[in-house]
Amino acid sequence: MKDISITGFQHPYSLLASGKKLVGWGSGGVFDYFHALFPMPLAYLVDNATNRQGQFKCGFEIRSPHDLKKENPDNLLIIIYSSFSADIIHQLSGLGVFSAINAPVLFCSDYRQQWKKIDHLLDQPTTKKTSCSNKSAIVVQGPTVANLTSKVIALHARQNPQSSLILSTWKDSDSEELKRLEPLIDDLILSSRPDIAGIQNRNLQIVSTQAGLKRCQQLGASYALKTRADMFILAPSIVELSMMLLNSYDPTPAQNWGAHDRLLIPASFTRKYLPYSPSDLAMFGYIDDLSKYWDCPLDERHFDLLSECHNKSLFQLGREGLPAECYFGGNYSRSLGRPTSGELMDSWEFYRDLFLIVDNSWFELFWPKNPHFPDTYPHRPTRQTVSNHFWHLQLRGGLPLAVEEKKIDIKKEFWS
């Protein structure tokens, strides 16, 4: 596969001057997002989901990726509309020597600027810290990503030099990649993958996070930041500042439920109308609270999440813990002896008492895999997230529900 550079292009549509045939790979939410903003004259779409092949979306036929073998690679440009671009690039290499570009790279100037900022921050070499405070730790969990995880970890080491840095990943990880990462971290935890990955890989997330947090406890850390191996937190001194912010709020509501304090989380994916759905992109708090949150039984259920979302209301999705965030959040609430009624106000009180929700700018999150979030979608009310402003309104007494309560019974087909 040939990666195409966008250097010199003043606007995404300037690619049309190349005269190449355009094909989109991916027909899900990433395509919906970017095609609404930057509609391109695609010849067709391809998608690995066989149940979508033969259908049409936005007037484009959805075909099998194998149809690309019929194309002339010299006259084709593939725009990748997917959060799994790395997997698609690998798959493309087996189909032919095609030119391809990731949609965020093409359409998002902010995306390119973020990479420039990261490269600037990492301009100087980073070496392993010689001494760390046992007061705080950073757990970077999940599979390592070549040419990405090393930068994620190096940035953590540079931005938070007083925190122990722990990588919790898998025994079957690439050994050469682990050797490159070892000088940057204070501890490496290698776990065996569970037999059942779970819907949205939730069981993998549980196992790797539990292992990392257990190591934090062994180190005697009081606080921890849990984040992903494929996500950047660009805000400097985020551990120290998060500690100060958390301590500036009264912990009594959380303590009334047996927690030490609230958990600090970002707004993105903390759904306003999907009950018990706190974001797990990044979590900061007392180590005992985090360990309690992730002391979650593996979910061995088998179901198609997309189908369930289209057939159930938001109330049912949250109450049954079908999306991963709802599964984790609902389990945490019940583990504290806090029943989950599934009602909207109960979910908001859950956020109010047990979390401190900040806007994404607090962490300065950059997720190359999914760079088009935050996904507030103001024109799709029931996909809204809980902003810091809304959280403070709840803290100060809440809002009358009125029409709001009815939104929780809307099925996903009306809000996706």
Side-chain angles (χ1 to χ4, degrees), residues 36-244:
L37 296 174
F38 301 100
M40 301 294 281
L42 304 172
Y44 55 89
L45 294 166
V46 299
D47 200 298
N48 283 314
T50 56
N51 62 325
R52 297 183 183 182
Q53 294 167 10
Q55 298 182 9
F56 284 81
K57 188 161 194 179
C58 299
F60 304 123
E61 183 183 6
I62 303 174
R63 302 182 186 178
S64 166
H66 291 288
D67 283 14
L68 295 174
K69 293 181 178 180
K70 304 173 185 177
E71 300 286 356
N72 177 6
D74 294 331
N75 191 43
L76 189 70
L77 173 62
I78 299 169
I79 302 176
I80 300 175
Y81 297 98
S82 174
S83 297
F84 300 96
S85 57
D87 296 329
I88 290 172
I89 290 171
H90 177 73
Q91 186 177 350
L92 264 174
S93 64
L95 296 173
V97 186
F98 294 102
S99 296
I101 188 167
N102 204 6
V105 178
L106 176 59
F107 299 119
C108 297
S109 59
D110 287 347
Y111 181 89
R112 302 190 290 273
Q113 291 301 319
Q114 293 284 50
W115 276 114
K116 288 182 179 179
K117 180 176 182 178
I118 291 167
D119 289 340
H120 174 72
L121 290 172
L122 298 178
D123 190 42
Q124 300 299 319
T126 303
T127 57
K128 184 177 179 179
K129 303 182 294 295
T130 55
S131 62
C132 298
S133 167
N134 286 332
K135 189 174 184 180
S136 64
I138 300 173
V139 175
V140 180
Q141 58 83 212
T144 60
V145 181
N147 301 318
L148 177 62
T149 301
S150 58
K151 292 185 177 182
V152 169
I153 290 177
L155 190 62
H156 282 306
R158 179 178 296 280
Q159 303 276 58
N160 302 278
Q162 300 306 313
S163 297
S164 299
L165 189 50
I166 299 167
L167 173 62
S168 181
T169 188
W170 307 111
K171 289 182 178 178
D172 60 2
S173 300
D174 180 80
S175 58
E176 293 301 316
E177 182 71 11
L178 293 180
K179 286 180 181 178
R180 287 189 287 269
L181 293 172
E182 193 170 356
L184 303 173
I185 58 179
D186 297 295
D187 213 336
L188 174 64
I189 309 297
L190 298 177
S191 303
S192 298
R193 294 174 185 265
D195 294 334
I196 299 175
I199 306 300
Q200 300 172 288
N201 290 323
R202 63 188 63 180
N203 292 340
L204 300 178
Q205 192 172 359
I206 291 170
V207 170
S208 62
T209 303
Q210 283 180 347
L213 292 173
K214 182 178 180 180
R215 183 60 180 140
C216 289
Q217 290 177 312
Q218 293 170 344
L219 292 172
S222 301
Y223 295 89
L225 170 67
K226 175 268 174 197
T227 184
R228 299 172 55 108
D230 62 352
M231 170 173 283
F232 291 96
I233 295 179
L234 300 179
S237 304
I238 192 63
V239 171
E240 180 182 359
L241 292 175
S242 294
M243 197 181 307
M244 294 171 61

Side-chain angles (χ1 to χ4, degrees), residues 378-415:
H379 57 295
R380 298 171 181 172
T382 46
R383 287 200 69 176
Q384 288 181 12
T385 57
V386 177
S387 67
N388 179 257
H389 177 261
F390 181 82
W391 181 81
H392 270 102
L393 287 176
Q394 299 307 305
L395 200 64
R396 298 293 179 261
L399 295 172
L401 289 176
V403 179
E404 303 277 6
E405 186 71 47
K406 298 180 181 179
K407 291 180 180 177
I408 203 167
D409 291 319
I410 298 176
K411 292 185 178 180
K412 182 187 181 291
E413 61 184 299
F414 299 108
W415 62 269

